[in-house]
Amino acid sequence: LERTFSIVKPDATKRNLTGKICAMLEDGGLRIIAQKRIQLTLAQAQEFYSVHAERPFYDELCEFMVSEPIVVQVLEGENAILRNREIMGATNPADAEEGTIRKTHALSLGENSIHGSDAPETAAEEIAYFFAGLELVG
Ligand code: GTP
Ligand code: MG
């Protein structure tokens, strides 16, 4: 089984949608094997999204990610990385398929309710950044 890292983003925690989003992940075949609600610092948000540091939306993205608590998760399942991205839907909710988390819940391209790792290397890095090994209970 593969593992991936996920974040319920501020627009979703603010609207009390954490449970609905978790249910969509579980219904999609993924198991939540670690989860916690945290408040990112600006420095942590900047570090997490450093790959986007040169993008015009970087400052807005980092400010958004610290605007409310987030829920960080480790998901496990068959092809969990790809499966999670299918359940999430396209980055821009306007392009997302019916039934996906972003189509159902996202507000905009920026406020798009959920993050999911995009590759095995980033999944491993992101999991290790937020969780100690003992916190993952598969
Ligand atoms: P993540 O799972 O969050 O990484 O989404 P993604 O892989 O579908 O998108 P990407 O890595 O390209 O961008 C990371 C995040 O930056 C997105 O999820 C959006 O929240 C945000 N973002 C991307 N493009 C824009 C943009 O043009 N404007 C704003 N405000 N935010 C953006
Ligand atoms: Mg991405």
Side-chain angles (χ1 to χ4, degrees):
L1 292 180
E2 189 174 63
R3 290 175 175 180
T4 190
F5 175 75
S6 163
I7 301 178
V8 182
K9 289 183 169 185
D11 65 284
T13 60
K14 185 172 188 175
R15 289 177 289 147
N16 214 18
L17 293 172
T18 301
K20 287 200 169 78
I21 287 174
C22 290
M24 292 173 86
L25 296 170
E26 291 177 340
D27 289 347
L30 299 173
R31 182 180 300 277
I32 301 165
I33 64 160
Q35 175 165 260
K36 56 192 172 189
R37 179 171 160 101
I38 61 171
Q39 173 72 57
L40 280 186
T41 65
L42 188 57
Q44 288 169 330
Q46 288 166 337
E47 159 86 19
F48 182 75
Y49 280 116
S50 58
V51 58
H52 295 309
E54 303 308 319
R55 306 278 205 93
F57 58 82
Y58 179 64
D59 288 345
E60 188 183 328
L61 174 61
C62 294
E63 294 288 345
F64 166 61
M65 291 301 290
V66 305
S67 66
E68 292 282 333
I70 60 173
V71 174
V72 293
Q73 308 171 315
V74 180
L75 309 176
E76 188 178 80
E78 295 280 344
N79 296 312
I81 296 169
L82 264 177
R83 185 76 198 100
N84 183 39
R85 292 185 71 86
E86 287 170 4
I87 299 165
M88 287 163 47
T91 309
N92 188 340
D95 303 329
E97 305 257 345
E98 243 10 272
T100 61
I101 291 171
R102 283 165 166 167
K103 180 69 175 188
T104 306
H105 294 300
L107 299 175
S108 65
L109 172 58
E111 298 191 312
N112 62 358
S113 302
I114 187 157
H115 162 85
S117 307
D118 55 16
E121 299 72 35
T122 47
E125 271 177 36
E126 292 171 0
I127 290 169
Y129 184 70
F130 286 99
F131 290 96
L134 280 172
E135 293 180 289
L136 311 183
V137 185

